[in-house]
Amino acid sequence: MKKLNTKLAKVLLVGLCLTSTMLPAQTTTGGKKISSDLFGLFFEDINYSADGGLYAEQVQNRSFEYSPTEQKDWNPYSFWEYTTTGYSYGRISVETNTPIHPNNPHYMVLDVEHIGKEAKFSGVSGVGLTNSGFAGMVVKANERYKFSMFARQLSNLPVSFQVSLQTAKGKVLAETRFTTVSTNWEKYTADLVVSENDENANLVVLAVSEGKVALDVISLFPEKTFKNRPNGLRADLAQLLADMKPRFIRFPGGCLAHGDGLGNMYRWKNTIGPLEQRKEQRNIWGYNQTAGLGYFEFFQFCEDIGAKPLPVLPAAVSCQNSGNTWQIGGTGQRALPLSEMKEYIQEVLDLIEWANGPVTSTWGAKRAAAGHPASFNLQYVGIGNEDKITHEFEIRFKMIFDAVKAKHPEIVVIGTVGPSPDGEDFEKGWKIANDLKIPVVDEHYYTSPEWFISHQNRYDSYKRNATQVYLGEYASWGNKMQNAIAEAAYMTSLERNGDVVRMASYAPLFAKKDYTQWKTDMVFFDNTNVCLTPNYYVQKMFSANQGDYYFSNIISKDEKDANLAVSCVKDSKSGDIILKMVNFGKETKPFKINLGKFGTLSPQAEQTVLTGNADAENTLEKPNSVIPTTTVVKIKNAFDYSAPAMSLTVIRIKAKK
Ligand code: AHR
């Protein structure tokens, strides 16, 4: 009895000592415990993924903050056209004297000298501004659009407005009217219900009475955003992410996180609170970021689709490629002065309080004020993005890491090991990880399909019960079937090594047609259409079919054929067994499956197959060249399967109820 108690105590002690980084070596019917957060999403505002993309705002340059630092010919007037109708005239100017908020310094002043009253003009006379959105606004018949604008009357007389959605030829599709009521900044809102479909509409804000008025944050959203959230996301793009059932979403980047020089680092506090108080800034990828899709919206979206939030904060250093120094080997890393580190570390700690703290805490109260009193259950925080591992990086990373660990031991910190699968930064980054016992580090690699096929054993030899891996960015160069299937083969190796590889996310995610800075992406889109690449389908087939136990020896294949890859996982929640078979070869290949060890399973299974020519790909014009097909199949405890050439097959077998 005494012995048993000591044993029990030991077991309990081991259980208590396990940090959140170590996965207990439990088994279910002989399976190996693997990460239940394995496949998730990487989101970065690159290729117009946020503004002009996932973020459903229709007005471009809504706060008159565009600047030549973003694009040489941009300025606060960009994407706005001075508009006069009915022989009216006046002046416009961008001013900065009395902004709504110091974070939002520019606003537009309309000085209307004369409203034309010529009998020969039958339309609405006025002076104002026209915005054509992100290459045209898409509006749908009978749908509601939420207009809002801040105005401050600068003349004694109130100023009246007509706000309308119009076709390119000037046909009014919806309109509203209002009159200013204050010489202070006030928000005016109205719903516009559109009479007909148009993919190229403009928003026209017309002062129709004489006077002087300041305008700012002129905004138009469809009412039908994802889950009808105000300040929400484009429903079709958000839904295709939700369909993937990702376990986490990493945001806001990528290089966007650490920024092009210190002044361009992504500072999360600038991205929360009322829109008019957020700080716009240059996007490292050569445009503007409104921060309208900010930290609150990212966290809310994660919650809406059941994904864990994974914010990545700069490690107090900027991108090594700052100032385009990638051209000479990336020497542009800048580090925050040590004298500013106390404040910066507090900013990191404040994020954790903002996400998880009680409503009575300073930052928890801000989350509650934004409409979310409950905790967001933040579990992961990334520090740094593929930074050059310099001495400056190392001391700052350690300061942040130590502070988070001391104050929030419950948070899993994810470190960084450079931009490549090997090399100097990789080695140095891993040394720091081992020395500091960082729970997880972020590996990145973009390479050829052949590399993915020939490196499927990469993680087999990684140390167990040590620092784990977040494969935060990876892709083979291309969006053809051969790229997607090479990635699928590799993903089976991530499942096999799911006790070491805790998380993985393909990158980048979105790319807007004609606004693409990074060629290989998971989903292409324009204002109305979406193209899901074969890579998307592979990611979805893995992500929506994750398990938390891995089983070897269930699927047999020709072990000498490197083009074949398999994995078998069990989702312990549903009891489902999930088989994945990959054939990167040019011919059909046989696999043998033996499910004997699982006891009684349902005789029916759902089989999804993605197959096509090696060079097949989808485009916005032809989006369905390659799509997976799903059928219900009958299975036995032991059966054979022939995998088509260049294919991924997922068979999901339900536990017998
Ligand atoms: O995913 C695109 C870019 O690739 C990311 O911003 C960066 O982290 C990596 O170099």
Side-chain angles (χ1 to χ4, degrees):
M1 189 66 186
K2 218 176 169 200
K3 252 190 173 169
L4 207 106
N5 278 344
T6 330
K7 239 186 175 177
L8 193 71
K10 260 190 186 166
V11 170
L12 284 174
L13 195 69
V14 171
L16 286 172
C17 292
L18 279 173
T19 67
S20 46
T21 66
M22 297 178 193
L23 297 164
Q26 285 163 270
T27 59
T28 173
T29 349
K32 172 173 74 169
K33 180 82 183 83
I34 59 168
S35 170
S36 46
D37 290 337
L38 189 52
F39 297 121
L41 293 172
F42 163 98
F43 181 90
E44 175 170 28
D45 188 3
I46 182 173
N47 310 318
Y48 279 65
S49 298
D51 293 290
L54 183 62
Y55 184 51
E57 173 64 86
Q58 296 277 296
V59 176
Q60 182 160 202
N61 190 16
R62 67 181 173 197
S63 294
F64 308 103
E65 298 299 332
Y66 274 26
S67 119
T69 60
E70 292 153 357
Q71 291 196 11
K72 282 200 170 69
D73 57 347
W74 281 9
N75 57 55
Y77 297 89
S78 294
F79 303 96
W80 291 99
E81 200 179 284
Y82 175 56
T83 305
T84 60
T85 56
Y87 309 97
S88 309
Y89 51 87
R91 282 169 296 282
I92 53 169
S93 53
V94 169
E95 300 189 7
T96 54
N97 293 339
T98 48
I100 302 181
H101 190 272
N103 279 349
N104 182 9
H106 299 89
Y107 54 91
M108 180 70 80
V109 171
L110 266 186
D111 189 355
V112 186
E113 190 176 332
H114 175 70
I115 295 293
K117 297 177 185 73
E118 318 303 320
K120 281 187 180 155
F121 180 71
S122 59
V124 176
S125 295
V127 173
L129 299 163
T130 300
N131 190 281
S132 52
F134 293 88
M137 296 179 186
V138 177
V139 291
K140 292 191 184 132
N142 304 318
E143 292 199 357
R144 195 173 287 272
Y145 291 82
K146 304 291 227 186
F147 168 80
S148 64
M149 170 173 105
F150 281 82
R152 190 163 78 86
Q153 192 185 301
L154 301 175
S155 50
N156 290 334
L157 284 177
V159 180
S160 296
F161 281 90
Q162 183 217 37
V163 173
S164 59
L165 274 161
Q166 300 187 7
T167 65
K169 287 193 171 151
K171 181 174 173 189
V172 174
L173 302 172
E175 73 159 309
T176 186
R177 295 200 179 228
F178 65 88
T179 301
T180 57
V181 293
S182 174
T183 52
N184 294 320
W185 284 109
E186 292 287 342
K187 188 173 182 179
Y188 298 84
T189 61
D191 285 1
L192 295 168
V193 179
V194 168
S195 58
E196 58 187 72
N197 290 343
D198 192 22
E199 292 188 359
N200 203 16
N202 295 321
L203 178 75
V204 184
V205 177
L206 211 58
V208 293
S209 69
E210 288 158 15
K212 198 171 175 185
V213 63
L215 308 176
D216 208 352
V217 200
I218 303 178
S219 167
L220 184 82
F221 273 86
E223 183 181 51
K224 287 189 183 165
T225 55
F226 184 67
K227 294 204 180 279
N228 296 327
R229 296 260 175 227
N231 190 44
L233 307 182
R234 200 174 123 176
D236 58 343
L237 297 182
Q239 187 58 51
L240 67 87
L241 302 183
D243 292 344
M244 297 175 79
K245 302 196 172 91
R247 296 289 162 92
F248 65 89
I249 305 179
R250 170 216 181 111
F251 55 86
C255 291
L256 187 97
H258 55 184
D260 191 15
L262 289 177
N264 192 240
M265 283 194 329
Y266 193 99
R267 310 297 286 260
W268 72 272
K269 288 185 181 175
N270 291 334
T271 75
I272 58 163
L275 291 187
E276 67 277 12
Q277 296 180 14
R278 297 189 190 181
K279 200 171 186 170
E280 298 197 4
Q281 74 166 351
R282 178 167 61 94
N283 179 311
I284 194 169
W285 297 103
Y287 51 100
N288 167 282
Q289 42 181 333
T290 60
L293 171 48
Y295 262 43
F296 183 84
E297 292 73 23
F298 280 125
F299 275 76
Q300 182 65 73
F301 181 51
C302 288
E303 187 176 87
D304 282 345
I305 67 169
K308 292 182 182 175
L310 166 46
V312 174
L313 301 170
V317 296
S318 73
C319 181
Q320 55 270 29
N321 298 319
S322 294
N324 284 339
T325 52
W326 54 269
Q327 296 170 43
I328 50 165
T331 53
Q333 183 185 77
R334 293 285 174 273
L336 275 185
L338 288 175
S339 58
E340 288 177 29
M341 281 306 289
K342 194 171 166 224
E343 203 184 325
Y344 185 71
I345 288 168
Q346 192 55 50
E347 186 174 320
V348 177
L349 299 175
D350 288 346
L351 173 65
I352 301 166
E353 183 176 293
W354 177 83
N356 291 352
V359 296
T360 46
S361 62
T362 311
W363 288 93
K366 291 187 199 291
R367 181 192 71 242
H372 201 287
S375 157
F376 273 123
N377 296 318
L378 177 66
Q379 182 184 341
Y380 295 111
V381 172
I383 303 292
N385 172 65
E386 61 171 50
D387 298 287
K388 188 152 191 62
I389 312 295
T390 57
H391 178 62
E392 282 70 27
F393 164 86
E394 185 172 351
I395 49 179
R396 284 159 185 79
F397 177 88
K398 187 173 180 318
M399 288 167 90
I400 302 167
F401 177 67
D402 287 346
V404 174
K405 205 167 98 179
K407 183 137 193 224
H408 291 287
E410 75 285 6
I411 294 290
V412 178
V413 173
I414 302 180
T416 184
V417 294
S420 313
D422 45 32
E424 197 186 322
D425 292 321
F426 183 82
E427 299 298 334
K428 284 185 176 171
W430 265 104
K431 181 168 182 330
I432 296 173
N434 291 329
D435 291 351
L436 298 183
K437 298 194 174 16
I438 302 174
V440 186
V441 291
D442 181 10
E443 294 191 355
H444 291 182
Y445 34 90
Y446 297 93
T447 175
S448 66
E450 292 71 29
W451 186 95
F452 283 96
I453 292 296
S454 60
H455 284 77
Q456 290 178 57
N457 57 359
R458 177 181 174 92
Y459 295 112
D460 294 346
S461 55
Y462 269 49
K463 219 159 123 197
R464 270 48 197 176
N465 296 323
T467 297
Q468 293 184 306
V469 174
Y470 164 38
L471 176 50
E473 294 185 26
Y474 72 98
S476 72
W477 284 115
N479 289 119
K480 297 183 171 169
M481 269 301 281
Q482 56 184 302
N483 301 97
I485 300 302
E487 287 152 12
Y490 198 72
M491 289 170 84
T492 64
S493 82
L494 301 182
E495 287 192 327
R496 183 175 69 245
N497 286 288
D499 51 338
V500 165
V501 182
R502 185 164 177 150
M503 309 162 97
S505 47
Y506 179 99
L509 176 48
F510 282 126
K512 187 167 189 172
K513 187 181 175 218
D514 302 331
Y515 299 89
T516 298
Q517 296 91 39
W518 191 278
K519 250 186 154 181
T520 299
D521 304 283
M522 203 205 293
V523 174
F524 293 84
F525 66 94
D526 59 22
N527 284 345
T528 45
N529 305 299
V530 168
C531 161
L532 302 175
T533 61
N535 317 65
Y536 167 86
Y537 288 121
V538 163
Q539 290 296 323
K540 183 179 170 190
M541 286 164 74
F542 274 83
S543 189
N545 289 294
Q546 307 197 38
D548 49 354
Y549 284 86
Y550 179 84
F551 295 85
S552 46
N553 303 325
I554 302 294
I555 312 173
S556 322
K557 62 175 175 80
D558 177 355
E559 287 303 325
K560 282 185 255 98
D561 191 340
N563 287 333
L564 306 181
V566 297
S567 95
C568 170
V569 294
K570 176 176 180 172
D571 171 33
S572 60
K573 256 195 207 149
S574 61
D576 292 0
I577 303 294
I578 302 149
L579 311 174
K580 301 188 180 90
M581 286 161 280
V582 180
N583 180 3
F584 185 69
K586 292 187 178 132
E587 288 153 21
T588 301
K589 291 284 167 165
F591 294 82
K592 281 193 177 307
I593 295 103
N594 191 334
L595 301 168
K597 74 179 332 170
F598 296 117
T600 329
L601 293 167
S602 161
Q604 287 201 335
E606 196 177 73
Q607 178 176 299
T608 305
V609 183
L610 178 72
T611 182
N613 291 333
D615 288 332
E617 57 188 331
N618 293 331
T619 60
L620 276 164
E621 294 70 33
K622 271 183 94 180
N624 295 329
S625 303
V626 197
I627 47 169
T629 52
T630 300
T631 48
V632 173
V633 293
K634 281 213 151 72
I635 51 143
K636 296 189 203 136
N637 260 6
F639 64 99
D640 293 345
Y641 177 73
S642 293
M646 200 51 73
S647 69
L648 163 65
T649 302
V650 176
I651 301 180
R652 188 170 187 124
I653 308 152
K654 291 228 163 302
K656 197 153 191 188
K657 295 262 156 71

